[in-house]
Amino acid sequence: FLVAKGRTEEARALAERYDVEVPAAKTGGAGDRWTNLANLFRGKEWIQTLLYWVASFGGLLLVYGVATWLPTLMRAEGYELGSALSFVVVFNLGGIVGMLVAGRAADRFGAPRISALWFALTAAGVFLLSVHMPMTVTMIVVFLTGVFLNSAQTMIYATVSIRSDADSRATAVGWTSGMGRFGAVFGPWLGGQLLASGNGDWGFTAFAVAGLSSMVFIGIAALRSSRREPAGSERELVAAH
């Protein structure tokens, strides 16, 4: 990006900081926003792009759906109001820890693997919340679900960044995040509709299915792009971001 904008000195300083090569400047310069978007669909790139988009949609559906309706759904499972509100605090504390853990894990095992695994664990945790368990066990499950849920979505952005070419990286990450925002709207709506129709007991199951779908989509996308990974180690790219 810096090279395309002619900010070569900044590009060189950043490259030295992370011990990577400065890419050669292209004569055509950076394209406009619509050209850059169209490049995400050239050839068979459209498959990869759509996989990232639907994975992000499901991820943010899960994040905002669970965060919005967790107290209400927990009360529907028979917990007291005070306990249900405490679950929100524990859930968000888990999210903070999750970001730190996921970053380290991605450095070692790769963001695509961590994203897929985290979504699988999130789905399992969300589904378990539909079962009335002892309070201590429930608190542990809520905390672990928070650990995996928030960072699973973040690892989608890291995966898109790693698997995209330098010319399309910013556009790919931006549009993946933007399409995920539709899920951020749909998740709270879905939870509300289930509760309003008297099917609140299906809320956790529906959100668990969203987690599984994101796991499948990000896993397929990672497998498809593994043969054409950009130059530079994944660890360096994740650390840089």
Side-chain angles (χ1 to χ4, degrees), residues 93-105 118 146-155:
L93 288 175
I96 296 172
V97 174
M99 292 295 183
L100 301 174
V101 173
R104 294 294 185 181
W118 259 224
V147 168
F148 298 123
L149 173 54
N150 295 283
S151 51
Q153 174 65 21
T154 304
M155 288 300 103

Side-chain angles (χ1 to χ4, degrees), residues 11-20 22:
R12 188 175 295 107
L14 191 62
E16 290 178 356
R17 179 179 177 184
Y18 292 106
D19 192 26
V20 297
V22 179

Side-chain angles (χ1 to χ4, degrees), residues 137-167:
V137 177
T138 302
M139 283 289 186
I140 294 173
V141 172
V142 170
F143 178 80
L144 292 176
T145 301
V147 168
F148 298 123
L149 173 54
N150 295 283
S151 51
Q153 174 65 21
T154 304
M155 288 300 103
I156 290 181
Y157 305 143
T159 300
V160 175
S161 176
I162 291 165
R163 302 298 189 181
S164 298
D165 296 330
D167 293 341

Side-chain angles (χ1 to χ4, degrees), residues 63-107:
V63 169
Y64 283 87
V66 172
T68 300
W69 293 110
L70 181 61
T72 305
L73 291 174
M74 295 305 285
R75 288 193 68 191
E77 295 298 328
Y79 295 95
E80 298 294 332
L81 176 60
S83 298
L85 294 175
S86 298
F87 291 143
V88 178
V89 177
V90 173
F91 175 79
N92 284 287
L93 288 175
I96 296 172
V97 174
M99 292 295 183
L100 301 174
V101 173
R104 294 294 185 181
D107 283 348

Side-chain angles (χ1 to χ4, degrees), residues 185-222:
V185 175
F186 186 76
W189 176 86
L190 176 61
Q193 290 298 309
L194 290 173
L195 288 167
S197 63
N199 295 309
D201 54 335
W202 284 93
F204 285 126
T205 302
F207 292 134
V209 170
L212 288 176
S213 67
S214 289
M215 176 202 71
V216 171
F217 291 132
I218 197 65
I220 294 173

